Amino acid sequence: MPDALMNWNFRVLRSLARLTFAQQLILLALVPATLATLAAIAVLTRQHLGNLTELMRANAQTVALQVATVAQAPLARMDRRALQRTAQSGSYQPNVQQVQIWTEDGEIVANSETMDRARDEGLQVVVPIVSDDGRHNGKVMVEMSLAAVQNARRSVWLNVGLVLAISMFGVGLAGWWAARRISEPIRALGKAVDRLGAGEDASVAIEGTSEVRHLQHGFNQAARALAESHRLLQSRINEATAELARKNAQLEVASQAKTRLLAAASHDLRQPLHALTLFSDGLANGETDPVKLQRIGHIRECVDSLDRLFSELLNLSQLDAGVLQPQWIDFPLDRLFDEISRNFRPVAEQQGLRLVVRKTDVWVRCDYVMLSRILNNLVSNSLRHTIEGGVLIGARRRGKGVRIDVVDTGVGIARQHQERVFEEFYQVEPTGRQAARGTRGMGLGLATVQRLAELLNTRVELSSRVNKGTCVRVLVRSAPAALPAPSASHAVAAMEEEESLAGVRIMVIDDERTILEGLTVVLANWGAEVMPAQTRAEALALADGWQQPPDVVISDLLLQGGDNGLDVIGALERHPRGIGAGTARLLVTGETKPDRLREVASAGITVLYKPVSPRVLRQAIQAQRVAAALAVGA
């Protein structure tokens, strides 16, 4: 009960707070006046009705005495007829409803009731009948009607309502006048404050009582001072805005120059690096000399390191270009975990570390490629900064989602760096054995993870302790388990089990002779029949002479003379003896400019970005052959 009362009081106070100042003043005048009027009227009404009731009681007493005096002799003789006439004479008195005459032992010897009007609530008075010798011979009961009292009460309440209404109207009118006189200057000040906030002239006329005039005078002075300060501040803001716009323009020019420089440098460096990748694989093919194999292994390590750095730049360029859009599919998370285990287990073992990937039966709804990039970057980053121990990858359900954890026993990240490690090019200086290993990236791995997570509408959480390790958590949506489609999976598995590409006809188009020779060597080692071409003309000339189109076409994006690999593939498709749906198509490029990336993304052809390792190239060729075979079968 106390809580309910407090809640009611709180609601009343909150409702009063919504009233205007004038309304509150009027209410302040009405409430006390209403309460005082009601209290006075209640007291007077109660007194008036009490007096009226006592008057009716006195009248009843008088009638009863008169009847008792007349009934004394008949009662002594027990003359019932005379007693009845006496009782009837008493009932004829105004407001008398009933008269009874009782003997001393309580017997009713006469009773007279009014028959000409309805009975109302009554007031009864009993008077004894006293004989001449002072003995009580009986009693007389007279019941008086209180209808007059009820009528008086109704009349009083009608008058009370009328008086109260007139009083409240008068008090309300006076309160409204006083409230208006007090609140009008305050309302004018409020409007002036609004104008002051809008930067307009906010002076007010000085009028009213002395206190209000003093307030208005002070407000005008403050308004003038604020207007002057506003003009000065606006001038400074305009100057600062102009300076900021100029610096932003400079930063934009510098950013565009940086993007062009990175794209040009990336493209020019990817070309020889791609050739170096192909030739190193060609050197290793059939080589048995341990010393040479060791040197070739060193070359491959350098190529892999450069490939990792260029991949980080490519991921950033793709994000800047906006060509990455999530392709939502449902897939078992264990499939991605198996891929990560295959890719990074040799790297971990080479560093003397353990890579533990826990099996899981959960399914997720996500973009497979983007989630793969996120986890690959996290695992690669963990291995790079772990000296001893290892890396653990696991997943667990959390509500309607799945949380993927990548935990390492690495050097950890200090608290002051944990927020900034997701910024582009931000790096924590390595120390101790980590610095001795020279495992330093470009500071783009976690930045790419953060931006990919934003595209997936999820978040990445990081917790770390120095010299204890780091845990990165990725939250994704869960999906119901489903059975994989058997036909495509069996076709891919069968293609991946092939030992060589013997008899496969592959056309290679690239304007760089070294890359063309490297691809020719690698593909020939796999048993493929290679048709190299440097230009569109050479490719169309080959098309004029072949008996059947190639099984695969691999083309660079940018060719000599401003030609384009997409246009060359289109020309081969339009050639009378050209390629059709049964020919797999691959684009290979080192381009990272945003406009080029958007052009490639809209082409609908699978793209590999230089440098391309032979293993990735072979997997891509096999996958595209499967896709082409399925398209022809459909």
Side-chain angles (χ1 to χ4, degrees):
M1 189 65 181
D3 293 339
L5 182 60
M6 290 180 62
N7 292 335
W8 183 82
N9 291 335
F10 178 74
R11 288 194 296 269
V12 170
L13 292 175
R14 188 166 57 182
S15 301
L16 291 176
R18 297 194 185 102
L19 300 177
T20 63
F21 180 67
Q23 290 172 336
Q24 292 182 14
L25 287 176
I26 295 172
L27 189 63
L28 186 62
L30 284 175
V31 169
T34 302
L35 294 177
T37 303
L38 287 176
I41 290 175
V43 172
L44 295 176
T45 302
R46 183 176 180 181
Q47 184 177 359
H48 173 68
L49 293 177
N51 293 336
L52 186 58
T53 302
E54 290 301 321
L55 179 61
M56 297 301 295
R57 186 184 302 275
N59 289 340
Q61 187 80 15
T62 301
V63 172
L65 289 174
Q66 290 175 357
V67 172
T69 301
V70 175
Q72 180 180 1
L75 182 60
R77 297 190 307 270
M78 289 299 293
D79 187 354
R80 294 179 178 271
R81 182 172 298 179
L83 290 173
Q84 183 65 31
R85 288 196 299 271
T86 303
Q88 287 178 352
S89 65
S91 64
Y92 294 154
Q93 299 296 321
N95 299 319
V96 175
Q97 295 186 139
Q98 185 178 14
V99 176
Q100 290 181 349
I101 301 175
W102 306 336
T103 63
E104 184 63 25
D105 55 2
E107 180 186 358
I108 301 175
V109 294
N111 180 37
S112 177
E113 299 182 24
T114 58
M115 305 301 294
D116 58 342
R117 60 179 182 273
R119 293 284 296 271
D120 295 316
E121 181 183 356
L123 174 66
Q124 294 182 351
V125 174
V126 178
V127 174
I129 300 175
V130 183
S131 63
D132 294 335
D133 54 3
R135 289 186 302 108
H136 288 186
N137 296 331
K139 296 179 182 179
V140 176
M141 187 278 293
V142 176
E143 181 180 355
M144 298 289 289
S145 173
L146 294 179
V149 177
Q150 299 296 334
N151 293 335
R153 180 179 287 111
R154 286 192 290 270
S155 176
V156 165
W157 282 117
L158 180 62
N159 294 331
V160 165
L162 183 60
V163 170
L164 183 62
I166 295 173
S167 300
M168 292 305 99
F169 177 77
V171 172
L173 187 62
W176 174 82
W177 178 83
R180 182 175 178 82
R181 181 169 178 79
I182 295 173
S183 64
E184 190 62 32
I186 298 177
R187 187 181 296 109
L189 282 174
K191 293 180 180 178
V193 170
D194 293 338
R195 294 197 302 273
L196 183 62
E200 303 174 0
D201 180 25
S203 59
V204 295
I206 299 177
E207 58 185 1
T209 63
S210 59
E211 294 85 356
V212 174
R213 287 198 301 270
H214 180 73
L215 178 62
Q216 292 166 340
H217 180 71
F219 176 82
N220 288 340
Q221 288 183 335
R224 285 192 293 269
L226 284 175
E228 182 63 28
S229 299
H230 181 268
R231 285 192 293 269
L232 180 61
L233 182 61
Q234 188 63 43
S235 175
R236 292 179 179 177
I237 290 175
N238 292 337
E239 294 176 359
T241 302
E243 180 67 16
L244 183 61
R246 185 179 64 80
K247 291 184 177 180
N248 282 340
Q250 293 176 350
L251 288 174
E252 183 66 24
V253 171
S255 177
Q256 292 176 357
K258 179 208 72 171
T259 302
R260 289 194 298 269
L261 175 62
L262 287 175
S266 174
H267 178 269
D268 294 342
L269 290 174
R270 284 174 184 271
Q271 296 291 96
L273 184 60
H274 182 51
L276 182 60
T277 303
L278 299 173
F279 281 122
S280 65
D281 187 75
L283 287 173
N285 186 48
E287 183 61 57
T288 59
D289 187 353
V291 176
K292 292 183 179 179
L293 287 175
Q294 183 180 13
R295 291 174 180 172
I296 293 173
H298 291 326
I299 294 174
R300 284 179 170 175
E301 289 178 2
C302 296
V303 170
D304 290 341
S305 178
L306 288 173
D307 184 19
R308 184 172 62 253
L309 298 178
F310 280 127
S311 295
E312 291 180 353
L313 284 174
L314 175 62
N315 290 337
L316 187 62
S317 298
Q318 288 177 321
L319 291 170
D320 288 336
V323 300
L324 294 180
Q325 295 298 327
Q327 303 296 322
W328 302 99
I329 60 171
D330 297 344
F331 60 90
L333 190 57
D334 205 46
R335 182 199 304 171
L336 180 54
F337 279 9
D338 288 342
E339 179 183 312
I340 293 173
S341 180
R342 289 194 303 270
N343 292 341
F344 288 98
R345 193 171 298 281
V347 179
E349 293 175 351
Q350 185 179 8
Q351 297 178 203
L353 303 174
R354 292 185 61 199
L355 177 63
V356 179
V357 181
R358 289 182 174 171
K359 301 291 289 183
T360 178
D361 60 352
V362 302
W363 282 57
V364 297
R365 178 168 181 77
C366 195
D367 185 292
Y368 186 91
V369 176
M370 290 188 182
L371 186 58
S372 174
R373 284 190 184 183
I374 289 175
L375 297 182
N376 284 336
N377 280 359
L378 292 177
V379 174
S380 175
N381 196 67
S382 294
L383 291 173
R384 187 181 306 129
H385 297 93
T386 300
I387 307 301
E388 56 185 7
V391 178
L392 169 67
I393 307 169
R396 62 184 66 185
R397 298 182 187 275
R398 282 293 180 267
K400 296 183 179 179
V402 176
R403 192 186 80 187
I404 304 173
D405 297 338
V406 179
V407 186
D408 64 58
T409 59
V411 296
I413 304 172
R415 184 176 299 275
Q416 65 269 23
H417 299 300
Q418 291 182 12
E419 291 293 332
R420 300 198 60 192
V421 291
F422 291 100
E423 298 177 5
E424 296 173 4
F425 302 105
Y426 183 82
Q427 294 177 289
V428 181
E429 289 296 329
T431 58
R433 293 171 58 186
Q434 183 187 8
R437 282 173 51 179
T439 54
R440 185 178 177 88
M442 297 181 64
L444 293 176
L446 291 180
T448 303
V449 167
Q450 182 73 11
R451 296 179 65 176
L452 286 173
E454 292 174 356
L455 282 177
L456 294 175
N457 195 25
T458 184
R459 65 181 186 274
V460 178
E461 301 173 350
L462 181 145
S463 59
S464 181
R465 294 176 61 188
V466 177
N467 298 326
K468 297 294 183 180
T470 301
C471 175
V472 182
R473 293 172 288 273
V474 182
L475 303 176
V476 294
R477 283 183 285 177
S478 63
L483 295 176
S487 59
S489 61
H490 290 170
V492 173
M495 189 65 70
E496 288 179 348
E497 290 175 357
E498 292 185 359
E499 293 294 334
S500 65
L501 297 176
V504 178
R505 295 165 51 83
I506 302 178
M507 170 177 276
V508 181
I509 307 170
D510 200 303
D511 58 350
E512 292 284 343
R513 181 168 297 279
T514 54
I515 295 177
L516 198 61
E517 292 176 358
L519 278 172
T520 302
V521 170
V522 170
L523 295 174
N525 289 337
W526 293 341
E529 180 183 343
V530 184
M531 293 178 284
Q534 284 188 279
T535 62
R536 181 198 295 237
E538 291 181 12
L540 294 178
L542 289 173
D544 291 335
W546 63 40
Q547 296 299 320
Q548 59 181 3
D551 300 307
V552 183
V553 174
I554 304 174
S555 177
D556 192 8
L557 178 62
L558 299 182
L559 302 174
Q560 290 180 353
D563 208 349
N564 189 303
L566 292 172
D567 296 336
V568 174
I569 292 176
L572 289 173
E573 293 173 347
R574 294 188 296 270
H575 193 277
R577 304 173 64 183
I579 61 177
T583 300
R585 299 159 176 79
L586 274 176
L587 277 178
V588 181
T589 182
E591 189 63 52
T592 58
K593 293 181 179 178
D595 54 343
R596 291 291 187 186
L597 292 176
R598 284 190 286 268
E599 179 184 4
V600 171
S602 62
I605 299 178
T606 300
V607 182
L608 299 177
Y609 293 94
K610 300 177 182 178
V612 181
S613 68
R615 178 178 61 84
V616 173
L617 178 62
R618 184 166 181 161
Q619 291 176 349
I621 292 174
Q622 291 171 342
Q624 293 308 303
R625 289 185 62 205
V626 170
L630 293 176
V632 172

